[in-house]
């Protein structure tokens, strides 16, 4: 496999992990559990790979910096997604409450 192919699959895996992380607040029930498990597994494997990079380069600070950036990105993505879901839910509830009842 070429270096381009490896980079493409790595980027795709990371994108899927972060999309699942952002989808957690928008889902419900068993689907939320599945999405959360996929997001957690993806995030943990990304962190393990970044730690491995630090070990291979014998630069543990690099590995920890990469892991810290990934954790902060995950928190930021989740917080923004959660906030947008709450605002959207409040908007829909307000819109439903303000509707005029049908005239009989």
């Amino acid at each position: 496999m070429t270096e381009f192919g490896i980079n493409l699959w790595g980027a795709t895996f990371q994108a899927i992990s972060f999309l699942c992380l952002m989808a957690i607040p928008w889902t419900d029930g068993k689907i939320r559990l599945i999405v959360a498990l996929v997001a957690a597994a993806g995030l943990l494997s990304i962190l393990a790979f970044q730690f491995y990079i630090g070990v291979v380069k014998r630069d543990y600070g690099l590995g920890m910096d990469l892991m810290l950036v990934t954790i902060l990105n995950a928190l930021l993505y989740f917080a923004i997604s959660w906030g947008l879901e709450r605002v959207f839910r409040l908007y829909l509830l307000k819109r439903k409450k303000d509707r005029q009842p049908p005239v009989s």
Side-chain angles (χ1 to χ4, degrees), residues 43-65:
L43 192 61
L44 287 175
S45 64
I46 292 168
L47 291 174
F49 181 71
Q50 290 173 342
F51 180 73
Y52 172 74
I53 290 172
V55 170
V56 168
K57 297 292 183 182
R58 295 186 185 263
D59 187 359
Y60 298 106
L62 171 67
M64 295 307 277
D65 286 344

Side-chain angles (χ1 to χ4, degrees), residues 89-100:
R89 183 183 301 261
L90 288 174
Y91 168 73
L92 288 179
L93 288 173
K94 182 180 181 307
R95 189 173 150 196
K96 184 178 179 181
K97 187 179 104 177
D98 290 343
R99 246 188 237 167
Q100 296 291 337

Side-chain angles (χ1 to χ4, degrees), residues 10 22 35 43 64 73 84 88-89 104:
M22 291 186 318
V35 169
L43 192 61
M64 295 307 277
N73 278 340
L84 285 174
F88 189 67
R89 183 183 301 261
S104 321

Side-chain angles (χ1 to χ4, degrees), residues 15-26:
I16 290 169
S17 299
F18 275 88
L19 285 173
C20 286
L21 184 70
M22 291 186 318
I24 293 171
W26 297 89

